[in-house]
Each structure stands twice: as structure tokens, then as C-alpha cells.
Amino acid sequence: MNSKILNELCSHCAFILNDAEKERMVADLKLILEYVDQVHSVSTDGIEPLVHPINIGYLRMLDEPETSGHENLTQSESIEKTDDFYVVPKVIEP
Amino acid sequence: MDPYQSLKQLRQLLESKQITAEELCRYFLDRIAQFDQKTNSFVSIEPENVLAEARRADKTIDQGINGQLTGIPVAHKDNFCVQGQQTSCCSKLLSTFIAPYDATIVKNISVEGGIYFGKTNMDEFAMGTSNQTSAWGPVRNPWDLSRVPGGSSGGSAAAVAAGFVPVATGSDTGGSIRQPASFCGVTGFKPTYGRLSRYGMIAFASSLDQAGTLTRTAQDASTMFQIMQGHDPRDATSESSRSNKRVSVKHPLTIGYSASLLNDLDSDIIARIEASRETLERLGNKFEDVEVFDQDLALSSYYIISCAEASSNLARFDGIRYGTRTKSPSSIQELYENTRSQGFGDEVKRRLLAGTYFLSNNSPENYVQKAQKLRRMVYELYQELFQKVDVVLAPSAPSTAFRLDEQLDSTDMYRQDRFTVPVNLCGLPAISIPCGLVNGLPIGMQFIGPQYGDELILDVAYRFQNETSWHLQRPRL
Amino acid sequence: MSNMDSNWEAVIGLEVHVQLNTRTKLFSRTRNGDVSAAPNQHANLVDLAYPGTLPVLNQAALTHAIRFGAAIDGSLARVCSFERKHYFYPDLPKGYQISQYSQPIVGSGVFSLWFEDGHTKAVRIRRAHLEEDAGKSIHDRLPDSTVLDFNRAGTPLLEIVTEPDLRTPSEAAMFLRQLHALVIWLGLGSGNLYEGAIRCDANVSLRSQGNNSFGTACELKNLNSFKFLKNALRYEIERQDNVLSSGASVRRETRSYDPMSGTTKSIRKKEQQREYRYFPDPDLPPIPISETTISEIKTSMPELPANVRDRFVRNFNLTPDKAYRLTLEKPLAELFEATVKSCKDPQATANWILGEVIATRKRKQYRAHDIPISARQLSQLIERVKGGTLSFNAAKELVGRLWGTNQDLDQIIKTHDITQISDSDQISHWATRVVEENKELISKLLNGEEKLYEYFIGQVMKLSHGKANPQLVRQALERLVSKKDKHNSSENDD
């Protein structure tokens, strides 16, 4: 963990840190990694990853439209809308 | 009026019209107004709405068509959506978010007449074990205001402990119901993963999150559980309505116990748990020594998985469609970065960065897969274990509530969860109940059940509480 | 193309996104595919990624994917699982797209690509997987802002990925056209290219002829019509040819096609490729797919177009090209079969459908797959023409009159008084009159100016107000002329 990796992580997370925060965060993350790195010390050969803790009912939905769920979409004042469109600063297409 | 009455007692008072719902609610509102500036357990409460709802409840009581909770106050942790109400997860990013819908469990409670009493404080996005990461300020433990209530459901635990409400909902991703229950001397129940719908509960780590309750007693937890549980067609991880896997209730039990777990605990705490063990034996239960999974490995695996899932789940908070957007951003990049930089607190950022790292190609090995493999090892260990024993008894937390000014570094703070996370990794039910006081502070222990053994652990907790009075202890406010 | 006969061979693989025409979205119960809706009208809490909302898989989308898999004889996963693919973009509400990464619902299969001369080529399909579409970003509506419409967000997509088995731009375009036809044939999607219901990206690289290894490929984005695909590939192949021929090497990059200039330009270098951080979606437990489900879906499949095409050639002796064109659309093939069943004339039926029926549709600006003319109407029409009671030209016009009506053909003929006159006495009478009135022309005709027949036929048709059977008119005229000719010869002989 170093400041270069941290910068990449920040860009993936879409937030920024000031220099003091960065310094602190690098130290914290180092500590965390030191702790969790112990997982690599255990052999897990032949073991399937467990993603879902429980076997459940394999729910699927019927292909029938439902009209509720559109109403009451109250926005805070900081969210900008025009003519039912959400508005954001111009996205420059590459 | 005693603020610490059970749901059953409150219901009798209301049905026999010894008190009206309006009077009852006014009583609790007054109590909150009087004492909550000390604990800061509520983050939003609208007395006029509460009283209006209470008056409606009185009408239904008059008509004799009341539900199981008619007129009874229920507070919700601030990560449950309640239609028309602020639902902020105690984050600045959602400080202006008004939920446009009810979470399924919120709806289930209101269908039974429960009165929505307000939102309780929590760690931001449920990430924390001390309730100090809330954007609305920390919660203080009603037993000692210089101490934390535990987290992340600290507001709910404190509110129930302080007699502000008879019941509050909570959520438990790695111990967030049970550890604060232990710190605040209340009953904290985390059901089997999938038995309570997650729809409308703002996700922290989807494969670990489970809604539950903080109550005075196991009996109240059971009542709430019956009301809140059930299949939800809006949650693909919710228990199937056709599921027939319930573990039936029985007595006496074979209880698994691992003395080695207690090694590094304070001797006063060990003494309380040992004493509880004797009580349980007196009740006819047998104890069997069991091996549990290496705590630090399980905790590491939990930490990797929960951060990875969180980094994904919280990507939706971009300030574009809801929430608090940064003021007049000049570019889309600025909109994202300022909204999220200003909106998220330190602990959340730390976990999102860690989670992103675990998922990224930067890491030398695939952390997440490795953690999921370890997760399976924990899971299989518990499966085997429940072939031999009916339930497991374990501490809920490694200590009593610590002081707000105690400086714990990240990993020490995370190690608070070491008794609780294996339960979440395996989707097991667990209930934390008070088992004593140490230096005037409550301490809890937990019963852990096999999957779908919810009723079983509720029953053993109920029997224990019938024999003991630790759950009846009250803090002095 | 000049560059193709030189040293280089192009290697092309396609990634095709097909919007599925389910009634609701992939993970929510919002109405799907209503392109005329007001902005954000069909975006509910789940589609907008409101806090606390969760996805639940739409059963119909899964069935659609399995149908496609069965059609290309692809291997079908026995469990349906989803992963999250992370990136920030304003029209991606959750900050990740739910997609299938490690376990696509459809694994390797084969698409039989057909060529005009009737031969086919096996194009291997690497995989086809389910994923959700994003919303739409509109950049040109406001000067300094981008506006977002999330109606499309959550629309089920089937992403079909081929192996790099295509070799020329026209082959690639042919493939896309036939894949497009198959998707619609199976009822999986509207296939409306204009509305983005089928979108195509291409990977293309060059290698020296005879070389089996692969060169560095570029990914071309935004090739949303058969023509764009072909033109973009042509441009790109020429560009890479120039790069390689100058001794430089092609850079691995993503390029965007601009249909206005007909060129491609780089939008992302390889090192800038996004890191998606895939991981299994914890909200969606894998769903097992039983053998029963698969066999039920397989039995409910329509006969595949390739099969129908071969059958048309075999059973009805159609040319491969006609059979191909009839099987580009299921309604055409169905109209053909049903019509042949009653009129028993496959050649005439094929010609009428591929000719006047399609021409009429174009003229009336109906969409593909829309043919409001019945087999009964068409077979009657063919029979009347053969029976001589309907002229070919009148019949052509009648296709237009029948369009979109359920009217009985004979009724229309009667009402509009367009029954053809095939009474030979009457025709012979008119012919004689025309011949008598144009004696000097007859002698020219007899001297070899055969094209004057057309003039005579025209004159007879005029007398009959266009109703005389032109074939009978010609026969009558020929009879009269040959009589004259004999007469002349005998005169000469004398």
C-alpha cells in the first residue's frame, strides 16, 4: 500500500482525499492489510468459494408490469431535474 | 407508568383501556424529550405524527380490530426506509433523503398497528462498533454516558435500554445488533439470513446483512420476529414461502461451548458466563466442548467480504438521482468526487478503499475469493458442529462498553466483532441476552443456532430469562 | 477491396447486444420497451437504484436466453448466476451493471452463416449472456449539461459474442443481418436497429495471409446498422493495412465509428481500459436450471429459419436465394407455406411475395415483419391470374388494395369491375378490328418488325378498356398475323 495505489483506489471510489487524509489512510490501510493478509496463510485448495450463506428459494419474478414504485419520488433540492430528465454537468464524450 | 414493560403488558394496558395509545405515546415522547439529549439515540422524531398515529390507533382499539402491536411505539434504525421520513443511514450524503417507500419489515410492523416512533442513531452506513461514526454525533450509553453504546445499532440499543421505546429494529452485518445489546443490557436478536426481508434496508454488505430487533426480553423478540418475518417477493435472498427447514423447539438442549474462546477475556466477564452456564445446566441442559474456527481468520475473511460488498453497494450514492448533491459542480467528475468526498465520513471511506483494493487487480492475490473459501470452511465447521449440539453459547463481545475517548485503532475496533462475525458468515441466527453486570456495566452472551433454528434459540433465551433477572436491570438516567 | 487481395487477411469477431422484448425489465417489474414514453416514466425505485431496493430476476428473460442458446445449439449453463461489473457513469444508476461474467447462460455454440450461392459457414459463438442495459445520456439537449433518462435502465440485454471467425466486412454484415433475423424469428426482440434494440461492436485485426496467429485487434464501437458495420470495418481494415504496411504496429485500443465521416477514431488506449472489479452479485443467489425447464423450452421452439430455408429448397424447388429471402422473416415464410398449401404453385407464390408483396410493404411504409395480407387472399390472387380472369397488372395493383383489409379477393374484383376478359371471340373481334385499321403496319410487322406486336396489343387493350387478357390478345394477334403471312406467301407463290 502506497500513495500511488491509494490514488488509484480513490479514483475507483470516485472521491478525493487531502494530503493529511491520504497520509493517515495509507497508514490505516497498511494496518488493515497486515491483519487480513493472514487469510493467505491458510491452504484452501479444493474449497469452493461461499458467496451466499444460505440456499434459498430461487425466486424469480413473473413477466408482468407493475405500476407502483414510481410515485413519491421526492427529491432533495440539490438534485437537478428539467422536463422530467435528471440533469448533470455536461459529460464530455471521449 | 413503567417505561420498561413488555409488549404483552403494554398490550394488556391498551386493550383494557387503562391507558390510551395517545397517552402511552405521549409518555414515551416526554421521556425522550427529557432524557435523549443525554444519549442522542434518536436522529429524527416527529411528535405530532406520532400522536396523530396514536389517535388513529385508539380508534381501532375502540372498534376492537387491533393488531398485535396497535398503539405500541416501535423505533427504526436509520437504515430502514420509512415512507415520507428522513432515512439517512446517519450519513451526510443521505441527510436530505426522504424515503419514498416502506421497507418490508417496516410495513409488516405497521400492518400490525405498531406506531412509527422515529429513527435511531447508528454508525454511518452501519460501519462501526461504537456508534461514533454517525453524521449526527455519537450515542452515549445510558448506563454510563462517558461510554459508547456499541454499534452499529447503538441508537436502537440505547433507546430500548433507556426505556424510550419497548422495541427498536436493528441490523446485524457482523454483530451490529448483538454487540450493542451486550453493551446496553438489552436483548438483541439476529435471525437466520433470509428470514427477514432486506428490501428497504439500506445495504452495507448484502450477503451478511440481516434485520433484527432490540427488545427488553426474548419473548418480545419472538413476538416481533413473528410479525416481521416471511417471504418477500422483492428480495431474492428472502426465505422461500415453501421452505420447510425450521428446526423444531425442544428442551433440554445440548449446548456447545468453547472454553478456549474465553481465554483473553476479563476474569469478571468469564465469571458471568460461567455462572450462566451453571444456570443453564440447572435447567437441565447439557454442555459439550466444541472447537470453533480461528477467530482472527474468520474476522479477516468477514472484513474482506464486507468491505468488498460495501464498496459495490455504496457506488449508487453518486448524488445524481437522490441524496445530497454537491453545490454547483463544474464537471461530472466534480459532481461525483465532491458529493462523495463531502458525503462520506472517514470510516466509510476507509472501508470503501479497502473493499475496492480487495476487488481490484492491484492486490497480489484475489482476496475476495480467498475470503469466500475461508467462509465455506467456517460454514462447514458450523454445519458439523450442529450435528453434535443444538445451540452454541458464546460471549457477545470481548468487553463491556468502552469509553468514548478510548483510542482504538482500526483493527482493535474491528476485533470487537470477533465473537459475532462467524454467525453472519454462515447466515446463522443468534440472540444476545444480558448475563450480568461487571463494574456496573452490562455484559451479554449469545446463543447461536443452526440455520432456521430461530425459534430454538429464542426459546432457550426465554427459559434463561425466566430464571434470571439480568435483563430486568435498568440504567439510571 | 484492394487491401484484401494483398498480403493481409482480416480477422473479425462481433459482440452483439440484443434488447429482449420481455414485458418487464430484467430485475424489476417496470414496463420494458416503451420507447415513446416520457423521460423517466418507466424508471421505478429499483431501476433508479434507490437505497434499499433489490433486484429479482425476470423469468421471461431467462427463458429468452435459453431459447437463443437452443437455437445455436449452444451449451446451456445449469445454473443462472450474475456478477456485478463496476464503473461510474451518470446513466448507470447503481455504479455497477449486473451482468454474467464467469458463467454465461449460453456457452459455445454455432451459427450457420449462409451465402447467396447456397453454401454455409460455421461461425462459432463463444458465449451469450444476460445483462441489464443502462439509461440514456443525452448530450445535445442543453448547452452545458447532459440530461439523463432512465427508462432504458434495466432493459434485459442478451450479449452475443462470436469467435473471431469472420473474414470480410460483408461477411460480418451478412452475419449481423442473419443474427438479427434469427433474434426476431425466435421472438426475442424487436430488432429495431434505429431504436438501438440491436447494437454491435466489432474486434478486428489483420494478419498476413496464411498465418494462423492473431494480430493486435482494435475494438470498434457503435456499429448500429448493417451498413455502418460494413463501412467501419472497411475503413478500419484499410487503416490497419496502412499502419502495418508502413512497418509500424497496430495499437490495442477502442475506437469509435463516426457514420458521418465514415472513419474510426481512438477513444481509449489499452492501458486506460477500465478495471471492472467483477464479483458475484450477493443479491441474486444462483438459480438452478432443470433439465425439465430446458426440454420444455426446447419443445416450444419454432422450426429454425435455416431448417425452413433448406426445406423450401428441397420440397418446393426454390432457388437458395429465394428460400433465404423468404426465411429472413418468419411472417414471410409462414405466408409462403400457407399460400402454397392452397394454390399449389411454389414458384409463383415465392415470386409474388418477394416481388409485389414486399414492394407494396415498402411503398406503404410498413415495418418489417408486418404483412397484413392473408394466404387466402394471396392464393386466390395467384389462382385468378393463372386462370386468366385477372390480369397481371391488375393483380399487382390488387395487392395494394388488399393490404390491411380482410376483404375477399373476388368481392374486390367484382366491386371494382376488374375482371379480366378472356372471351376469345370478343378478343378476336377486337384484334381483327385493330389489324384492319392498321394494314400498312401489318406489312412492316411481316417484314420483321416484331416489336410492333406491343403496339397492336396496346391498341387491343385500349379497345377493351384494359380488361382483355393480354396473353389471349397476343395469341389472337399472332393467329391473325400468321393468317396474313400465309396469305401473302401463297400470293407470292402464285
Side-chain angles (χ1 to χ4, degrees):
Chain A
M1 180 56 55
N2 53 43
S3 61
K4 183 176 170 274
I5 295 179
L6 183 72
N7 287 340
E8 275 175 39
L9 294 175
C10 282
S11 102
H12 286 318
C13 288
F15 54 64
I16 39 179
L17 299 173
N18 63 34
D19 289 343
E21 288 172 322
K22 275 184 191 166
E23 202 177 313
R24 210 174 51 221
M25 206 58 95
V26 168
D28 285 354
L29 290 173
K30 271 185 181 159
L31 212 62
I32 291 165
L33 292 179
E34 216 170 275
Y35 181 68
V36 302
D37 268 339
Q38 60 183 306
V39 298
H40 297 306
S41 68
V42 187
S43 162
T44 50
D45 294 346
I47 295 172
E48 276 294 296
L50 178 70
V51 178
H52 302 275
I54 213 161
N55 288 328
I56 334 159
Y58 313 123
L59 177 69
R60 275 156 283 179
M61 146 183 106
L62 293 178
D63 191 25
E64 283 161 15
E66 181 184 71
T67 47
S68 66
H70 307 268
E71 63 287 336
N72 308 315
L73 294 188
T74 41
Q75 259 83 38
S76 81
E77 282 172 11
S78 66
I79 300 297
E80 197 185 342
K81 277 188 103 175
T82 299
D83 298 337
D84 296 331
F85 288 106
Y86 292 86
V87 181
V88 295
K90 181 81 104 192
V91 178
I92 315 292
E93 285 291 271
Chain B
M1 170 77 197
D2 175 5
Y4 289 96
Q5 296 184 77
S6 70
L7 292 178
K8 199 171 161 189
Q9 288 167 324
L10 292 172
R11 201 167 168 218
Q12 274 162 2
L13 287 180
L14 287 163
E15 276 183 352
S16 62
K17 307 209 170 162
Q18 291 176 60
I19 193 168
T20 63
E22 187 177 355
E23 285 162 348
L24 184 76
C25 289
R26 202 179 285 281
Y27 171 79
F28 282 114
L29 285 173
D30 288 348
R31 200 174 155 78
I32 292 166
Q34 194 181 353
F35 294 115
D36 197 38
Q37 69 258 39
K38 292 183 181 175
T39 59
N40 195 29
S41 52
F42 278 86
V43 293
S44 65
I45 190 160
E46 290 179 25
E48 284 317 309
N49 287 354
V50 168
L51 291 173
E53 241 191 280
R55 284 189 284 272
R56 279 197 293 277
D58 281 326
K59 275 191 195 132
T60 55
I61 291 169
D62 284 343
Q63 292 159 353
I65 46 165
N66 42 334
Q68 293 183 68
L69 294 173
T70 301
I72 295 175
V74 179
H76 291 300
K77 189 176 177 179
D78 199 30
N79 58 349
F80 289 101
C81 288
V82 177
Q83 189 175 327
Q85 301 297 322
Q86 174 189 301
T87 300
S88 75
C89 275
C90 292
S91 175
K92 266 168 82 180
L93 207 152
L94 288 180
S95 57
T96 55
F97 178 65
I98 307 295
Y101 72 108
D102 275 337
T104 300
I105 64 146
V106 168
K107 196 180 276 173
N108 292 350
I109 288 169
S110 77
V111 163
E112 284 298 332
I115 290 182
Y116 166 68
F117 225 66
K119 286 295 186 63
T120 57
N121 207 335
M122 60 187 277
D123 280 299
E124 183 181 4
F125 284 106
M127 297 177 189
T129 50
S130 63
N131 216 125
Q132 288 167 296
T133 71
S134 165
W136 308 114
V139 178
R140 288 164 185 275
N141 193 317
W143 290 83
D144 177 346
L145 297 173
S146 70
R147 292 178 186 271
V148 303
S152 65
S153 309
S156 289
V160 173
F164 294 156
V165 276
V167 49
T169 55
S171 66
D172 191 315
T173 305
S176 279
I177 286 176
R178 291 161 289 154
Q179 185 252 19
S182 178
F183 279 16
C184 291
V186 298
T187 299
F189 177 44
K190 176 238 174 258
T192 302
Y193 183 84
R195 284 203 68 181
L196 300 190
S197 167
R198 290 192 298 116
Y199 190 78
M201 177 171 76
I202 300 177
F204 159 15
S206 313
S207 78
L208 300 156
D209 292 347
Q210 173 64 54
T213 50
L214 291 124
T215 56
R216 301 282 302 152
T217 64
Q219 194 176 31
D220 284 356
S222 178
T223 304
M224 291 307 296
F225 178 58
Q226 291 314 319
I227 290 166
M228 290 155 76
Q229 61 126 9
H231 173 69
D232 182 0
R234 295 183 194 281
D235 175 3
T237 62
S238 128
E239 176 196 18
S240 159
S241 49
R242 287 167 304 194
S243 172
N244 196 19
K245 295 174 181 159
R246 307 283 159 78
V247 177
S248 40
V249 174
K250 63 172 187 174
H251 177 79
L253 304 176
T254 307
I255 301 176
Y257 186 68
S258 172
S260 66
L261 268 186
L262 309 179
N263 281 344
D264 57 348
L265 297 190
D266 186 278
S267 61
D268 290 335
I269 296 175
I270 298 177
R272 287 315 325 142
I273 293 179
E274 283 294 335
S276 306
R277 177 187 158 144
E278 282 161 28
T279 306
L280 287 161
E281 276 174 337
R282 217 168 41 244
L283 285 168
N285 302 295
K286 277 208 264 310
F287 275 80
E288 193 164 310
D289 211 33
V290 292
E291 283 290 320
V292 294
F293 202 81
D294 182 284
Q295 287 188 326
D296 287 303
L297 271 179
L299 191 56
S300 298
S301 148
Y302 160 81
Y303 196 72
I304 292 166
I305 292 168
S306 65
C307 289
E309 291 186 7
S311 74
S312 172
N313 284 332
L314 272 60
R316 67 184 57 195
F317 301 115
D318 54 14
I320 290 177
R321 301 163 311 284
Y322 50 75
T324 309
R325 185 190 287 192
T326 186
K327 281 204 187 87
S328 36
S330 65
S331 68
I332 187 68
Q333 203 58 24
E334 204 176 296
L335 188 158
Y336 280 131
E337 288 180 349
N338 290 0
T339 298
R340 288 168 68 84
S341 302
Q342 293 157 6
F344 291 139
D346 267 3
E347 181 60 24
V348 172
K349 284 179 190 154
R350 191 157 29 242
R351 297 205 197 195
L352 297 187
L353 290 167
T356 304
Y357 180 77
F358 297 142
L359 285 173
S360 74
N361 301 331
N362 277 321
S363 45
E365 281 186 73
N366 191 329
Y367 279 95
V368 176
Q369 268 209 359
K370 187 77 188 181
Q372 286 163 344
K373 288 178 178 178
L374 283 166
R375 184 181 194 177
R376 177 158 321 262
M377 288 168 77
V378 183
Y379 179 85
E380 280 170 0
L381 185 134
Y382 271 95
Q383 290 237 304
E384 271 174 46
L385 199 147
F386 285 116
Q387 301 294 315
K388 290 187 288 193
V389 301
D390 298 306
V391 301
V392 171
L393 177 68
S396 300
S399 66
T400 53
F402 48 89
R403 295 161 53 87
L404 266 88
D405 54 11
E406 226 165 295
Q407 293 293 322
L408 297 178
D409 69 30
S410 296
T411 48
D412 283 343
M413 196 69 108
Y414 302 154
R415 289 194 87 244
Q416 277 288 317
D417 285 339
R418 64 185 190 269
F419 295 109
T420 45
V421 294
V423 163
N424 302 78
L425 286 172
C426 305
L428 305 174
I431 186 167
S432 174
I433 55 173
C435 67
L437 292 172
V438 172
N439 300 325
L441 292 171
I443 182 76
M445 63 178 189
Q446 56 176 337
F447 291 109
I448 301 168
Q451 286 188 352
Y452 299 103
D454 305 81
E455 287 82 359
L456 189 66
I457 58 168
L458 283 165
D459 185 66
V460 64
Y462 167 76
R463 286 172 194 271
F464 181 86
Q465 289 185 337
N466 265 348
E467 284 300 304
T468 56
S469 58
W470 299 114
H471 60 292
L472 303 176
Q473 304 293 314
R474 305 168 182 193
R476 269 187 299 272
L477 273 173
Chain C
M1 268 181 358
S2 61
N3 52 18
M4 292 312 300
D5 48 45
S6 64
N7 310 315
W8 306 107
E9 175 184 50
V11 175
I12 302 164
L14 301 183
E15 287 174 22
V16 184
H17 286 85
V18 176
Q19 283 185 339
L20 302 178
N21 60 359
T22 51
R23 299 178 65 210
T24 69
K25 294 190 179 178
L26 185 54
F27 297 113
S28 83
R29 289 182 65 173
T30 318
R31 187 172 293 288
N32 177 39
D34 178 3
V35 289
S36 62
N40 295 303
Q41 189 188 331
H42 295 314
N44 78 358
L45 297 169
V46 179
D47 311 320
L48 292 169
Y50 262 68
T53 59
L54 296 169
V56 180
L57 176 65
N58 180 348
Q59 167 67 50
L62 178 59
T63 307
H64 274 35
I66 296 175
R67 280 165 76 87
F68 177 77
I72 58 154
D73 202 19
S75 60
L76 295 171
R78 290 306 190 263
V79 68
C80 177
S81 62
F82 290 95
E83 269 113 345
R84 295 180 179 179
K85 177 182 182 180
H86 300 86
Y87 61 98
F88 280 101
Y89 201 79
D91 59 24
L92 187 72
K94 293 187 288 297
Y96 59 83
Q97 176 194 35
I98 305 178
S99 179
Q100 296 188 302
Y101 183 60
S102 60
Q103 238 182 343
I105 180 74
V106 179
S108 60
V110 176
F111 188 94
S112 172
L113 180 62
W114 183 91
F115 294 91
E116 283 93 339
D117 61 2
H119 91 275
T120 58
K121 166 178 176 168
V123 176
R124 290 168 301 154
I125 303 295
R126 180 180 297 169
R127 56 184 283 155
H129 68 255
L130 282 168
E131 62 183 27
E132 54 181 350
D133 210 341
K136 258 185 195 156
S137 296
I138 301 158
H139 305 295
D140 53 5
R141 191 183 161 95
L142 293 175
D144 303 317
S145 306
T146 292
V147 302
L148 305 166
D149 176 7
F150 292 99
N151 281 345
R152 198 180 69 178
T155 293
L157 293 176
L158 188 67
E159 180 177 335
I160 301 162
V161 183
T162 75
E163 294 290 350
D165 286 352
L166 299 162
R167 293 291 172 267
T168 67
S170 47
E171 208 173 277
M174 259 315 240
F175 172 84
L176 187 61
R177 184 183 292 276
Q178 288 172 37
L179 179 69
H180 173 263
L182 177 67
V183 162
I184 301 169
W185 184 283
L186 295 171
L188 306 182
S190 76
N192 192 318
L193 294 156
Y194 181 71
E195 287 162 3
I198 290 194
R199 311 198 285 270
C200 181
D201 302 334
N203 280 292
V204 57
S205 63
L206 297 191
R207 63 184 177 196
S208 50
Q209 295 281 3
N211 188 345
N212 280 329
S213 60
F214 296 112
T216 306
C218 290
E219 186 182 10
L220 306 183
K221 292 266 178 202
N222 194 26
L223 315 174
N224 298 335
S225 78
F226 309 130
K227 200 173 91 191
F228 290 176
L229 172 64
K230 198 150 126 183
N231 292 348
L233 285 171
R234 274 188 183 149
Y235 175 84
E236 181 62 16
I237 288 168
E238 199 163 314
R239 187 190 71 84
Q240 291 188 17
D241 186 349
N242 289 338
V243 170
L244 293 171
S245 301
S246 74
S249 51
V250 171
R251 273 188 313 199
R252 174 140 186 75
E253 60 190 356
T254 303
R255 301 179 69 87
S256 174
Y257 175 65
D258 174 19
M260 295 300 280
S261 64
T263 60
T264 67
K265 65 169 184 208
S266 177
I267 53 170
R268 225 168 19 239
K269 303 273 180 299
K270 195 206 176 187
E271 53 272 24
Q272 298 167 323
Q273 303 285 332
R274 288 150 161 172
E275 182 189 276
Y276 293 121
R277 303 189 302 286
Y278 285 99
F279 85 103
D281 193 325
D283 288 332
L284 292 161
I287 294 175
I289 302 165
S290 70
E291 298 303 321
T292 326
T293 308
I294 291 175
S295 68
E296 270 171 17
I297 293 171
K298 280 185 174 167
T299 38
S300 75
M301 296 273 289
E303 186 184 2
L304 296 177
N307 240 341
V308 176
R309 189 185 65 217
D310 293 346
R311 200 161 49 74
F312 283 1
V313 172
R314 211 170 46 242
N315 296 359
F316 302 120
N317 207 22
L318 295 187
T319 62
D321 179 58
K322 280 181 186 169
Y324 166 70
R325 284 190 288 145
L326 282 171
T327 51
L328 273 177
E329 294 173 29
K330 196 146 159 265
L332 287 183
E334 282 168 352
L335 179 64
F336 173 78
E337 287 221 88
T339 308
V340 169
K341 211 171 188 179
S342 53
C343 81
K344 313 279 188 237
D345 188 341
Q347 301 301 336
T349 306
N351 291 343
W352 273 100
I353 292 176
L354 295 173
E356 199 53 31
V357 170
I358 287 182
T360 305
R361 177 167 77 187
K362 199 174 258 174
R363 201 173 57 243
K364 300 222 175 214
Q365 294 180 328
Y366 272 55
R367 282 169 160 232
H369 293 86
D370 201 357
I371 326 170
I373 187 162
S374 72
R376 187 182 135 77
Q377 290 170 325
L378 190 59
S379 65
Q380 279 180 338
L381 184 131
I382 291 167
E383 278 165 356
R384 299 294 172 273
V385 172
K386 273 169 76 180
T389 54
L390 187 61
S391 76
F392 185 76
N393 283 335
K396 271 170 78 170
E397 195 211 333
L398 267 177
V399 173
R401 282 189 202 266
L402 290 167
W403 202 256
T405 74
N406 288 320
Q407 275 178 287
D408 182 72
L409 181 91
D410 290 335
Q411 197 56 50
I412 294 188
I413 293 176
K414 213 174 187 180
T415 326
H416 296 278
D417 191 22
I418 45 181
T419 309
Q420 181 165 270
I421 296 170
S422 298
D423 175 347
S424 46
D425 287 349
Q426 177 63 64
I427 290 172
S428 173
H429 171 76
W430 283 326
T432 312
R433 196 170 137 197
V434 170
V435 168
E436 290 305 316
E437 286 169 4
N438 295 283
K439 277 193 175 133
E440 64 290 3
L441 286 178
I442 284 290
S443 49
K444 278 190 182 170
L445 195 149
L446 289 173
N447 287 334
E449 283 193 51
E450 289 277 322
K451 59 179 187 230
L452 279 170
Y453 262 126
E454 300 309 317
Y455 172 77
F456 282 103
I457 293 169
Q459 292 301 307
V460 176
M461 293 306 285
K462 211 168 166 185
L463 276 178
S464 75
H465 300 286
K467 287 185 191 170
N469 182 331
Q471 229 165 336
L472 296 183
V473 172
R474 179 180 280 273
Q475 283 164 14
L477 283 168
E478 279 171 355
R479 260 197 317 277
L480 286 171
V481 171
S482 74
K483 245 188 232 163
K484 287 260 182 224
D485 200 14
K486 258 182 215 154
H487 182 66
N488 285 354
S489 325
S490 53
E491 269 179 3
N492 291 345
D493 287 349
D494 287 345

